[in-house]
Amino acid sequence: MTNASWETLSNQAVAFCGVIYFLALLSHLVEWSALRRLPVSAGSVTLPARRTGSGSIAVAEGGSDDAEVDEDVERRTNLFGRLGLLLTVLALAVHFVALLGRGMAADPNRVPWGNMYEFTLAGTFFVTLSYLALYKRFSLAWMAPIVTGVVLVLLMVDVIVLHEEVAPLTEALDSPWLVIHVVSAVIATGAFTVGGIVSVLFLVQERAERRGRTGGGYLGRVPDTATLDRVAYRINAFAFPVWTFAVLITGPIWAFHAWGSYWNWDPKEVWAFITWVLYAGYLHARATAGWKGRNAAILALCGMATLWFSFIGVNFFISSIHSYA
Amino acid sequence: MSDTPETGRRSGELSPLELLRWTWRQLTSMRTALILLLLLALAAVPGSVIPQQGVDSLKTTQWQEAHPDLTPIYERLGLFNVYSSPWFAAIFVLLMVSLVGCIIPRTLVYLRAIKAPPPRAPRNLGRLPDHASYRTDDDVEEVLARARQVLKRRRYRVRPADAGDAAVSSERGYLREVGNLVFHLSVVVVLVGFAVGGLFGYKGGVILTVGTPFSNTLTQYDDFVPGRLFDPESMEPFCFTVDDFSVEWLVDGPRRGMSRGFSADTRYREDCTDQSGKEREHDLRVNHPLAIGGTDVFLIGHGYAPVITVRDGEGNIAATGPKPFLPQDQSLFSFGVVKASGAEPEQIGLEGVFFPTFFLNEDGDPVNLMGELNNPLLSLSVFTGDLNLGEPQSVYVLDKSKMSQVENPDGTPLRLDLQEGETVELPDGLGSVTFEGIEQWNRLQISKTPGKLVTLAGVVLALAGLLGSLFVRPRRVWVRARVVDGETLVEVAALDRSGGGDVRPEIDEVVAALRGADVVPTGEEKS
Ligand code: HEM
């Protein structure tokens, strides 16, 4: 295959996986609209029973406790829930082809994260990947419509606003550190984003709990605040060392090789540092009386905001020697 | 910030010692650490928005010229040097004091805790949020002995039996605290390494035309930023010459006309005071610096230096030689000046642009097609008067405050468009300008950063500590057995001490192990 055909393949794969994400989203929306007609204990997504054992991704527990559960509706939620999940897996596979195509289209071949378009493509890939990887472990079925929606929107923005043709790397990027530095930054970005989604839901759920509105609707099937808090923590706690590795270890080493100074307070470095400090603040907040819960979640979201700003905003609003990705 | 009196008590009522102790306790509290962290994040912001002297001094100067009203205020606030300003340093130092003050007492507490056995089982295990129970025919002692065994196998530390309490107490995950301590201490190590580099090291830059030798002494640098405790004696006596410089141009694709890579063939000697020293070679490239002893040489840019000769009205050479022009974009469209200070009767200044590949587009506008030299053209404006060299100024900028621009007879500004080898006479017998040829230059950054291995060791240690701190799950498990209605009631409870763990699966596994592996684990529901 020629480079041009790899590039075409990649562009088609991006469009195609966008369509599949859209179908997955639709499927989950159908699932959730059907779920609304069921009590929260029935259907494809039940509230993970509080403090039951491991991995309670609930296949409905029969509806035995609730005689009026409509078996048909229940079957439909299961069907569309599973279909949505399957489509998401498929989309991820096509998403991977899109990334592969970008890498193969370049001459010489390289990792597919040399500019913002590619970085976003890779970042969204890792969002879906981490969602799927954690799906079982943290019972994330309730997150499906949000993740597919967020990834779809990000991909659309990426294609419409950020698209660039495949080009060889600039000299400074042409280094083995590119692989290791950027891949860790991308993984951390994906995981922090998933963690951020959990934190948003934490805040919404917390508000509902404070107003005594628990039970029905979407929130009825979202885990309680204690679980959300723990899941957000686990995800952010995974992403934090990865981010540390990317920003405070490999970043400076690479900067040293390319520009001759390992920390220069360049705007990109500054914002990556701010992100790091905010997430350190988040981890502290969870251990500080009076800051647990709501404030900690808000801090995590501030961290996520600066994370995306450091990655996209800095390039648009502030000039920086990092102005490629 | 920390000496505001506690509410409800007037500061006059505190003895100085009490006040001191109170201040210290406030400063080393978790809450203060958190607030200082947030302050640090906030304080880092302005430096990314306002150009920084230490990052890009040219841009800073331009910004300052464009904002004459704000500049003095910003200057007073240290906003052009945020990261070395007193207020930034203050936050940093407070954070470090807080950190050390927090970590040392914790280390002591931890050392004591590591020797102490796990705490006794709470009286009522059923009150703990996570617990399970089952009934069995085995007798109490049997159950407890098995519990000890099971927990030890699961790498718990088990408390020696307490008389009068038929319970097993155990704990694991002690390394979390070690990780936490290592992480925080490493932060200090990193900063020490960073500070050593900043204080004792230096960073300098030089633009060298290809073929010009460089020897490592202060006077050879164009710009030089020493650390506060830098000792010029510590500069290593190396010297080097870039013999040949080559650029690989991209001829197609979206980055057409830009360079893909460049490399400078360099000859160097480690000790140039000693003529017999061995000469070595290195191909200096981006991402491939040259390390000589503790000093590193980086190739960070390149460009063209048109060789321009200015003759004055009397026919004498007032200026000659390669003049590095600074690239304005990736295709090396460049800007530069010539200062002919020796010109008589008045000094002459030239300012203009250089096109490596000049081209007139359909609209008749001059454009530069690419960085490679295919149709080089120099386009200059001419000024006469006083170059104002008495004032400190950049060699790349013309101070036109005391000069006037030379004009055509019709009053429009004069422009000289020169191709290689051409000479143009200036009007009014001012002299002439010759574009003799083109050389290349390299921008090299040379720096010495002592302590960088300390910093590196610090960050690696910090990461290791962090992993321990985040992923080791400290937890306590208790098992109690007692006879109820002729059967043995076994209660198991666990407590997560990390604030992030779910101990339910752990309890299930312990129960399963206690009952024998063939029994399916069931968590007894109770909430
Ligand atoms: C440069 C400043 C600091 C940074 C980057 C930092 C970072 C962190 C991080 C990432 C954690 C998470 C580890 C975990 O959750 O176990 C943590 C935990 C902790 N930090 Fe800091 N920290 C800093 C300063 C301080 C200071 C000044 C104090 C003391 C007042 C402190 C006390 C603690 C404590 C007690 C924990 C453990 C919390 C827990 O048990 O979960 N830290 N720190």
Side-chain angles (χ1 to χ4, degrees):
Chain A
M1 269 172 87
T2 63
N3 287 337
S5 54
W6 276 113
E7 183 164 0
T8 313
L9 174 72
S10 170
N11 289 342
Q12 286 168 346
V14 172
F16 191 47
C17 84
V19 171
I20 309 176
Y21 277 123
F22 181 62
L23 291 178
L25 176 62
L26 277 187
S27 175
H28 284 302
L29 290 179
V30 172
E31 174 196 6
W32 281 91
S33 69
L35 277 171
R36 282 210 321 215
R37 284 187 270 144
L38 296 176
V40 292
S41 59
S44 57
V45 184
T46 53
L47 189 62
R50 273 161 221 223
R51 305 196 169 282
T52 39
S54 47
S56 53
I57 166 55
V59 180
E61 283 155 22
S64 52
D65 51 337
D66 218 319
E68 318 99 271
V69 170
D70 184 334
E71 298 267 335
D72 242 16
V73 177
E74 185 163 359
R75 211 159 339 108
R76 193 158 0 124
T77 65
N78 279 329
L79 181 70
F80 279 99
R82 228 169 294 144
L83 181 66
L85 186 62
L86 199 74
L87 284 169
T88 312
V89 173
L90 188 66
L92 186 74
V94 180
H95 203 151
F96 179 75
V97 173
L99 276 176
L100 185 74
R102 285 298 286 198
M104 298 299 286
D107 175 34
N109 291 343
R110 60 173 165 84
V111 285
W113 39 79
N115 54 42
M116 284 209 297
Y117 170 74
E118 293 172 355
F119 191 97
T120 309
L121 198 61
T124 44
F125 176 81
F126 277 100
V127 170
T128 314
L129 186 69
S130 31
Y131 154 74
L132 288 177
L134 301 175
Y135 186 89
K136 259 243 152 70
R137 182 133 180 237
F138 293 142
S139 312
L140 294 183
W142 52 272
M143 207 197 248
I146 304 184
V147 168
T148 44
V150 165
V151 168
L152 182 64
V153 169
L154 284 176
L155 272 181
M156 271 163 46
V157 170
D158 195 28
V159 170
I160 295 168
V161 184
L162 302 175
H163 185 83
E164 276 178 52
E165 283 175 51
V166 172
L169 297 175
T170 55
E171 303 83 319
L173 280 176
D174 196 1
S175 154
W177 291 106
L178 171 71
V179 182
I180 182 162
H181 170 71
V182 184
V183 83
S184 44
V186 168
I187 291 175
T189 304
F192 275 137
T193 305
V194 176
I197 293 174
V198 184
S199 290
V200 170
L201 276 162
F202 171 90
L203 290 178
V204 176
Q205 184 74 302
E206 198 252 2
R207 218 170 88 121
E209 277 180 15
R210 245 186 310 134
R211 301 193 170 176
R213 270 198 290 110
T214 47
Y218 177 69
L219 285 183
R221 291 167 198 274
V222 171
D224 60 356
T225 46
T227 310
L228 287 175
D229 180 54
R230 194 172 61 227
V231 172
Y233 169 72
R234 296 273 287 267
I235 297 175
N236 287 332
F238 161 77
F240 186 75
V242 181
W243 185 249
T244 307
F245 180 70
V247 167
L248 299 180
I249 299 185
T250 60
I253 292 178
W254 184 17
F256 185 74
H257 273 267
W259 300 311
S261 100
Y262 53 82
W263 192 266
N264 216 5
W265 294 109
D266 172 81
K268 196 108 190 170
E269 292 169 354
V270 171
W271 281 93
F273 174 74
I274 292 173
T275 302
W276 186 77
V277 171
L278 284 175
Y279 275 107
Y282 162 78
L283 293 173
H284 275 204
R286 279 191 86 263
T288 308
W291 281 78
K292 285 194 177 79
R294 220 167 94 86
N295 288 346
I298 291 173
L299 264 182
L301 288 178
C302 292
M304 192 178 72
T306 58
L307 173 74
W308 280 91
F309 182 77
S310 70
F311 150 48
I312 290 186
V314 169
N315 299 32
F316 279 114
F317 302 118
I318 304 172
S319 85
S320 145
I321 43 174
H322 278 81
S323 45
Y324 39 81
Chain B
M1 65 183 313
S2 43
D3 54 6
T4 37
E6 201 173 2
T7 38
R9 238 220 248 193
R10 283 188 292 124
S11 57
E13 292 171 271
L14 286 173
S15 74
L17 193 67
E18 273 179 317
L19 185 68
L20 207 66
R21 195 175 308 142
W22 180 82
T23 308
W24 179 249
R25 222 172 315 117
Q26 290 300 305
L27 183 61
T28 56
S29 77
M30 204 60 181
R31 181 181 301 267
T32 310
L34 182 55
I35 288 169
L36 286 173
L37 276 172
L38 298 186
L39 270 178
L40 184 67
L42 203 63
V45 175
S48 75
V49 185
I50 301 164
Q52 297 293 294
Q53 207 99 53
V55 177
D56 190 341
S57 59
L58 187 63
K59 212 165 104 194
T60 312
T61 318
Q62 286 165 354
W63 193 95
Q64 289 172 336
E65 277 163 11
H67 302 82
D69 299 338
L70 285 176
T71 298
I73 305 173
Y74 278 24
E75 214 141 50
R76 185 112 21 97
L77 295 174
L79 289 177
F80 298 116
N81 276 308
V82 167
Y83 307 107
S84 50
S85 69
W87 48 271
F88 194 78
I91 298 175
F92 228 108
V93 168
L94 276 178
L95 190 57
M96 285 309 116
V97 172
S98 167
L99 200 158
V100 171
C102 170
I103 287 308
I104 289 176
R106 265 177 83 106
T107 311
L108 299 178
V109 170
Y110 175 70
L111 285 179
R112 249 174 274 135
I114 214 168
K115 279 185 242 144
R120 276 167 194 275
R123 195 165 301 275
N124 188 350
L125 290 183
R127 286 244 182 89
L128 287 169
D130 291 291
H131 66 270
S133 61
Y134 68 93
R135 284 160 194 271
T136 171
D137 293 333
D138 300 339
D139 69 29
V140 169
E141 279 315 311
E142 219 174 307
V143 170
L144 291 184
R146 190 154 356 115
R148 276 171 199 289
Q149 215 178 14
V150 165
L151 288 168
K152 274 189 185 145
R153 212 177 316 125
R154 296 178 74 84
R155 292 193 290 124
Y156 279 81
R157 181 188 293 181
V158 179
R159 182 185 172 91
D162 292 302
D165 187 8
V168 178
S169 308
S170 67
E171 180 163 6
R172 63 170 287 179
Y174 288 80
L175 278 181
R176 177 194 176 86
E177 192 72 357
V178 178
N180 192 25
L181 297 174
V182 167
F183 170 76
H184 285 85
L185 286 177
S186 309
V187 171
V188 181
V189 172
V190 170
L191 288 168
V192 168
F194 209 66
V196 167
L199 287 175
F200 294 95
Y202 71 87
K203 186 161 119 182
V206 59
I207 284 186
L208 269 191
T209 44
V210 172
T212 313
F214 176 90
S215 64
N216 190 31
T217 50
L218 269 178
T219 53
Q220 296 250 324
Y221 284 86
D222 294 340
D223 54 274
F224 193 85
V225 188
R228 208 156 285 172
L229 301 179
F230 167 74
D231 172 12
E233 292 289 302
S234 71
M235 289 177 78
E236 286 158 310
F238 61 82
C239 60
F240 63 83
T241 311
V242 173
D243 285 325
D244 189 26
F245 179 73
S246 55
V247 183
E248 188 187 341
W249 295 102
L250 289 169
V251 289
D252 52 16
R255 297 222 173 102
R256 182 171 20 147
M258 303 179 191
S259 65
R260 165 185 288 173
F262 43 94
S263 119
D265 293 341
T266 310
R267 260 182 310 127
Y268 69 98
R269 273 189 292 137
E270 284 195 13
D271 185 356
C272 293
T273 53
D274 170 15
Q275 287 303 320
S276 62
K278 187 164 175 292
E279 203 166 65
R280 295 164 205 267
E281 293 186 355
H282 183 87
D283 66 323
L284 192 58
R285 279 178 281 125
V286 172
N287 280 318
H288 192 230
L290 165 63
I292 309 177
T295 309
D296 298 282
V297 181
F298 303 87
L299 178 58
I300 56 175
H302 66 107
Y304 292 113
V307 183
I308 301 168
T309 300
V310 180
R311 289 189 173 76
D312 65 12
E314 291 158 22
N316 298 322
I317 291 181
T320 187
K323 294 281 173 245
F325 272 44
L326 301 182
Q328 306 296 299
D329 61 25
Q330 295 243 40
S331 60
L332 297 188
F333 170 69
S334 311
F335 174 87
V337 302
V338 178
K339 298 179 187 183
S341 57
E344 298 288 345
E346 277 190 308
Q347 294 181 321
I348 298 176
L350 305 175
E351 176 185 272
V353 290
F354 175 71
F355 302 82
T357 300
F358 177 78
F359 183 73
L360 279 179
N361 68 8
E362 299 108 63
D363 303 333
D365 295 326
V367 289
N368 181 41
L369 283 187
M370 60 184 303
E372 202 170 357
L373 292 174
N374 287 321
N375 181 25
L377 184 105
L378 199 53
S379 178
L380 302 168
S381 310
V382 185
F383 298 81
T384 59
D386 179 359
L387 285 165
N388 208 15
L389 290 175
E391 303 272 316
Q393 54 176 262
S394 159
V395 290
Y396 302 107
V397 183
L398 210 55
D399 180 350
K400 288 176 278 199
S401 58
K402 295 183 184 163
M403 303 198 92
S404 57
Q405 183 158 16
V406 176
E407 296 173 342
N408 291 314
D410 63 2
T412 53
L414 173 70
R415 269 212 96 71
L416 309 178
D417 286 332
L418 293 162
Q419 289 194 312
E420 210 173 340
E422 277 186 323
T423 300
V424 180
E425 295 291 329
L426 297 175
D428 307 330
L430 278 170
S432 68
V433 175
T434 309
F435 178 14
E436 316 255 9
I438 302 159
E439 294 194 5
Q440 303 216 59
W441 55 259
N442 293 139
R443 183 167 169 76
L444 301 170
Q445 180 171 304
I446 301 173
S447 59
K448 184 165 174 166
T449 322
K452 66 182 177 224
L453 287 181
V454 175
T455 314
L456 183 66
V459 283
V460 171
L461 216 60
L463 190 66
L466 189 60
L467 292 177
S469 165
L470 291 172
F471 299 126
V472 173
R473 307 218 159 282
R475 45 187 52 158
R476 289 177 180 159
V477 172
W478 295 283
V479 179
R480 176 173 281 133
R482 61 177 195 268
V483 178
V484 177
D485 304 333
E487 277 181 314
T488 303
L489 174 70
V490 183
E491 289 173 298
V492 180
L495 189 66
D496 168 73
R497 308 230 304 136
S498 69
D502 185 359
V503 288
R504 198 68 222 181
E506 184 81 3
I507 293 183
D508 289 342
E509 284 168 32
V510 170
V511 169
L514 285 177
R515 303 182 78 171
D518 52 324
V519 183
V520 186
T522 52
E524 203 185 66
E525 210 33 72
K526 187 167 182 196
S527 59

